[in-house]
Amino acid sequence: MDVSTAQLAELFVRSLGLWWVILPGMLLGTIVGILPGFSAQNTLIILLPLTLYMEIESGMAFMISLYCTTQLGGGIPAILFNMPGEGGAVATTLDGYPMTKKGQAQQALVLCFAASAFGGLVTTVATMAALPLLAQLGLYFRSVEMVVVIVFGLTLIAAIAAQDLMKGLIAGFFGLMIGTIGVDPVFGTPRATFGLLELYDGVPLIPALIGLFAISEAFVMLESETIVRNEDLSKAKNARWADTLEGLWLTGRYWWQTVWTSLIGLVIGILPGAGSTVAAFLAYHYSKLLSKTPELYGTGHPPGVIAPESANNGVTSGTLVPVFALGIPGGTTGAIMTIVLTYHGIVLGPRLFIERPEFVYSVYMQMLVCYIFMALMILPLARYMSRVVWIPTRFLVPLILSLVTIAAFSEREYVFDMGLALGFGVIGYIARKTGYEVTAILIGVLMGPLFEQYFLRALRVGQGDPSILFSSTLGNVLWAMVVLALVLPWLRSRRRQGVLAQTVRAGHE
Amino acid sequence: MSNPDLEEPQPRQALGADFIIPALGCGLTAYYLISTVDLVWEAKATGICIGLVLLALCVAHLVRLGLKIRSGEADWSTGALFANDAFNRQRLGLTLMVLVYVVTIYWVGATVGLFLLLIGCMRLLGVTRLRTLLGVSFVSAAFVHLSLITLLDSKLPRGVLIDLLSKASGA
């Protein structure tokens, strides 16, 4: 597959010329990302007649820009109100919202936008450079390896539960238990559905996310005049452009973090079924694990915002790899793009790289242009959007409660889901007030069904023999990484205690 | 040096509310185990494994809490969570209003209901200016109606009033 530099330059200029579809796509993507309950997939399905009608190049540019900016948009409410707009932004709440509470909403938003844009740029370039190689990656990850990837995501429960391990684990397993509700993935028999048909597909993610995060946070929020602490409000109001630029400087300082966490996103994006939520949690987990200051995570630490945001944008480049290389979409977004591509007569699969390599690269070039446009809007967007948190909670709480209740309806269009979101809101509020981590509950709800699906599939392949889980070399390497992830924090804390004890002893002597 | 006899006794921790989440977890597990008795092993295996670990964790946690209560460090009270204070009354009021909105949405409609819900919630939280109450509620409800119902053709219930208005205008 040969594409010269001159051809790439020409493709870049041609992609720039598609600004008239890229910019509306970005605007729509940002709005869709901000609103919980609206996903890129649903919006792309709604807009399918429009994209099918458009020329293939402009149609793809529109879909890609919408999809990429949705990931960025999801981080905005996660940072400002502790309510992620997308599953991929859940991990962003862990450090983004504490930054807002400290009066650093601007910096947090710049970190989010810059990490998204930079991470997206890095992975787009990496994908263009290694596309044929990356296309093979999906073939190595089968159900066994996917089980280990998801187990790794689940170990984040233990990391989040560092304050009170017992409560954290109870919250995580409670979430996993909620995740088992619904029909089982092998036989299709209903389990613990309380006789409700609406729960046959399992507990829907959006109402759970809205309830556990948005509604419960609104209940907590009403205790103060504004989201920002009173003592930090004047600091937030007097923030200058220099403060906005500080976020950019912080992103530059942690540039390596952005690079490697976005590559995690790229790899996860290539794997079928994993998606941005798993990628963001894994990146956050790894970032904390390898940090010299893991104790700062969860308190408003900039790398805690950078890691999930660059990872969930890294996923966007990966999503298209199996579509182009194998003609197999890894998720709903990939499936919708496959429909549009095949409608326009594009034959997907290995031959595409031989017959029309310039087309594949043109799509990634459009993605690159979208991320460049995204980088240009970082500063003004962050500066003015951060002012939303100055609004008094007597207005914000009713608006949040009512709008997110309606948003809970959007995914499946069941009124039942609105009530379910309220139920999860009450559970989330009690959990927050009694020290059970709502993030741990949500990780369980999110990853439980995924784990079960791959676990049962692996067991079927192994004809019920659980040793199948340790049968592949790649899987075993991943298992070793899981063990390392669990043991490393413990070893480091012991080492630190040892060093501290020696220092104290030395001081006494 | 301070005299330990003169030191005020530490207030007891209110641990009653700490039992709620484990109780919900145990309840869900028990229901899962009972409702899946007749299923084949493979269909219920994951739930049983998770449920048993959850039960073990809950039991260990309850024992820990029980020991604290027994030693006098803590008591069964629920602390601020269910206290009869202004914030909790507001929370209860908001929850009830959202619940009424969800239950009556088929008749009242998403838009009209949202307008009323916003007025009610803001009034409860202390917004008294009529113009502000009506203005914010109207703009928000109109935005939702235009964006979700008109543009995106969402299946949000229209309600009796909007249906009558649509019929009257021939739409």
Side-chain angles (χ1 to χ4, degrees), chain A residues 224-344:
Chain A
S224 48
E225 272 290 300
T226 51
I227 291 177
V228 185
R229 285 190 297 244
N230 276 343
E231 59 269 29
D232 294 319
L233 189 61
S234 60
K235 190 174 111 186
K237 282 188 174 175
N238 294 326
R240 296 167 184 278
W241 276 103
D243 297 295
T244 322
L245 287 167
E246 191 194 340
L248 214 54
W249 177 81
L250 281 170
T251 320
R253 195 178 142 198
Y254 295 106
W255 68 272
W256 178 237
Q257 170 105 0
T258 314
V259 172
W260 70 261
T261 49
S262 66
L263 292 175
I264 288 182
L266 173 63
V267 173
I268 296 293
I270 295 169
L271 309 181
S276 59
T277 313
V278 176
F281 277 125
L282 276 184
Y284 184 88
H285 196 7
Y286 259 120
S287 170
K288 186 177 178 182
L289 202 66
L290 301 175
S291 168
K292 286 175 186 164
T293 52
E295 69 283 357
L296 293 179
Y297 281 72
T299 62
H301 193 37
V305 178
I306 291 172
E309 281 304 315
S310 47
N312 66 33
N313 275 275
V315 168
T316 55
S317 315
T319 307
L320 285 174
V321 173
V323 172
F324 286 139
L326 309 167
I328 303 165
T332 320
T333 313
I336 298 161
M337 290 184 185
T338 309
I339 292 169
V340 175
L341 289 166
T342 43
Y343 176 82
H344 285 283

Side-chain angles (χ1 to χ4, degrees), chain A residues 332-392:
Chain A
T332 320
T333 313
I336 298 161
M337 290 184 185
T338 309
I339 292 169
V340 175
L341 289 166
T342 43
Y343 176 82
H344 285 283
I346 306 287
V347 181
L348 300 166
R351 290 195 66 79
L352 180 66
F353 291 84
I354 301 161
E355 289 167 3
R356 294 186 68 179
E358 78 291 344
F359 175 76
V360 179
Y361 283 99
S362 75
V363 171
Y364 279 99
M365 210 46 103
Q366 289 157 10
M367 200 178 265
L368 192 77
V369 168
C370 168
Y371 280 118
I372 291 172
F373 283 162
M374 207 187 273
L376 296 176
M377 67 181 202
I378 288 171
L379 293 179
L381 201 63
R383 182 160 177 81
Y384 297 108
M385 212 164 245
S386 64
R387 296 182 180 187
V388 178
V389 293
W390 303 352
I391 298 172

